[in-house]
Amino acid sequence: YAKEYLLRGGSVDTALQNLQLSDLCASVQSKSGAHLLHLTILSLATIFFGTRHRNTSITTPGYLLHGIALKQLNTALSDPQCQFRDDVLHSAMSLVLLEAFVPT
């Protein structure tokens, strides 16, 4: 949904070209920052989809994922070795897109 309606073209879309559903499932279960971008995109898409369809049973888990993504992004940004990685920058941009589409 996010790839179809929100993220056409641009660097985030390019980063998601090979994204599979199993990657998203692994992102939610992962405690590391390895899947930060996938988790961020999943939270963005879930919140946007749930809000657009006025379905709080979808939006609520999206905001929970959003909180996890923010914590992982904060951890990554506090590490000088990770601050300028592509997935960290794309994740930050994705969270900016969330604020543009669904102001919190």
Side-chain angles (χ1 to χ4, degrees), residues 9-29:
S11 60
V12 175
D13 183 36
T14 303
L16 293 175
Q17 291 299 319
N18 296 320
L19 181 66
Q20 300 296 319
L21 182 59
S22 60
D23 296 332
L24 296 174
C25 295
S27 297
V28 174
Q29 297 167 355

Side-chain angles (χ1 to χ4, degrees), residues 5-8 14 20 34 45 48-49 62 71 73 80-81 91 103:
Y5 294 103
L6 300 178
L7 306 172
R8 286 188 170 175
T14 303
Q20 300 296 319
F48 184 77
F49 183 83
K71 285 180 186 176
L73 179 61
Q81 299 292 337
S91 295

Side-chain angles (χ1 to χ4, degrees), residues 3-90:
K3 287 170 62 175
E4 181 69 25
Y5 294 103
L6 300 178
L7 306 172
R8 286 188 170 175
S11 60
V12 175
D13 183 36
T14 303
L16 293 175
Q17 291 299 319
N18 296 320
L19 181 66
Q20 300 296 319
L21 182 59
S22 60
D23 296 332
L24 296 174
C25 295
S27 297
V28 174
Q29 297 167 355
S30 175
K31 299 295 183 204
S32 71
H35 300 288
L36 175 61
L37 178 59
H38 296 161
L39 181 61
T40 304
I41 295 299
L42 180 61
S43 70
L44 166 66
T46 305
I47 292 169
F48 184 77
F49 183 83
T51 302
R52 183 138 178 141
H53 292 88
R54 294 179 175 85
N55 190 331
T56 56
S57 66
I58 295 172
T59 307
T60 301
Y63 279 113
L64 292 173
L65 293 174
H66 180 71
I68 295 168
L70 284 173
K71 285 180 186 176
Q72 288 187 5
L73 179 61
N74 188 39
T75 301
L77 289 172
S78 66
D79 181 357
Q81 299 292 337
C82 296
Q83 290 175 350
F84 298 106
R85 284 190 345 220
D86 286 345
D87 63 322
V88 173
L89 296 174
H90 286 133

